[in-house]
Amino acid sequence: MNWTYTTLKSAIQDYVESADSTFVSNLPIFIQEAEQRILQNVQIPVFRKNVTGTASSGNTYLAMPTDFLTPLSLALIDSDSNYNYLLLKDVSFIRDYTPATATTGNPLYYALFDEDTFILAPAPNANYTFELHYVYNPQSITASSDGTSWLGTNAGDTLFYGSLAEAAIFLKLDPAETQMFEGRFASGLSSLKNRVEVLGSKDEYRYGDIY
């Protein structure tokens, strides 16, 4: 089923038989929660991006893009235009590897420091250009100018039942009904994973789950 924001909202209300103003005002939240659950559980190739940025000499931190969801790779581009890929680690590893913050060199490792920043180890010894290949957080169908989205068009059932599951929790519906929506959502996730993750993923350098 293909959904627009308008038809999706209407269908959710019809299924749970509620037109309560508080419920209706929270419909965008239910839909956004379902979108995030899909994006966190399925590697969808269409939501990938490449961007470049510069890390300053001596600065161990590198800003993330505002639409960043999860990393695929981070590479330092050297003066010969060679790509030197950093290994993703935990922050604790970064701290152990360079306990002295003044330590500099060619960065070999990176970690997700907070929701806006990567941390590098060691800190760059020059102003380096980095290329980040990542999964981005697409615009929600609730904010789309034309009321459509990739998920609404290509993963309609999954988005619908995920939204219904969130709505059922809000309305405190019978647990059996909520579980039915969750089951349909889980089935949709499984089908979506089988459909999109098989497309050439085994040919990638780093194969496996990224979430």
Side-chain angles (χ1 to χ4, degrees):
M1 180 69 182
N2 295 346
W3 299 107
T4 66
Y5 182 37
T6 299
T7 60
L8 180 58
K9 287 192 298 181
S10 179
I12 295 169
Q13 289 179 254
D14 290 343
Y15 262 62
V16 299
E17 299 180 332
S18 177
D20 176 77
S21 60
T22 302
F23 173 76
V24 172
S25 68
N26 279 282
L27 281 171
I29 297 176
F30 308 149
I31 296 169
Q32 290 163 14
E33 286 295 321
E35 289 172 331
Q36 288 304 304
R37 290 180 68 187
I38 294 170
L39 295 171
Q40 289 166 3
N41 284 279
V42 184
Q43 301 177 34
I44 304 176
V46 71
F47 298 137
R48 296 184 178 189
K49 247 185 214 185
N50 275 48
V51 295
T52 58
T54 302
S56 303
S57 178
N59 185 1
T60 192
Y61 300 105
L62 179 66
M64 293 178 183
T66 56
D67 60 356
F68 175 84
L69 185 61
T70 192
L72 293 169
S73 66
L74 180 66
L76 182 157
I77 305 175
D78 63 25
S79 57
D80 295 321
S81 298
N82 295 317
Y83 285 74
N84 304 277
Y85 286 91
L86 282 66
L87 296 178
L88 179 62
K89 298 290 186 178
D90 292 328
V91 173
S92 58
F93 177 93
I94 301 293
R95 295 299 195 198
D96 285 341
Y97 184 76
T98 53
T101 57
T103 302
T104 63
N106 285 356
L108 302 174
Y109 307 102
Y110 75 109
L112 280 65
F113 185 71
D114 59 28
E115 63 180 7
D116 302 312
T117 316
F118 296 114
I119 184 170
L120 309 173
N125 57 4
N127 294 337
Y128 289 117
T129 297
F130 288 85
E131 181 180 86
L132 174 67
H133 187 44
Y134 69 105
V135 178
Y136 72 91
N137 199 7
Q139 185 181 52
S140 170
I141 195 173
T142 65
S144 171
S145 60
D146 62 0
T148 66
S149 71
W150 189 93
L151 291 177
T153 301
N154 297 279
D157 287 349
T158 312
L159 178 60
F160 178 54
Y161 284 106
S163 302
L164 281 176
E166 297 295 328
I169 293 170
F170 177 86
L171 292 172
K172 298 179 176 61
L173 296 184
D174 183 275
E177 190 169 9
T178 303
Q179 188 59 43
M180 184 270 289
F181 293 146
E182 282 287 354
R184 296 292 295 272
F185 176 65
S187 177
L189 280 179
S190 179
S191 296
L192 183 61
K193 284 175 71 71
N194 289 337
R195 177 157 53 94
V196 302
E197 291 185 1
V198 74
L199 300 178
S201 59
K202 291 185 178 179
D203 294 329
E204 294 180 354
Y205 176 73
R206 187 164 66 94
Y207 177 63
D209 291 339
I210 57 175
Y211 298 99

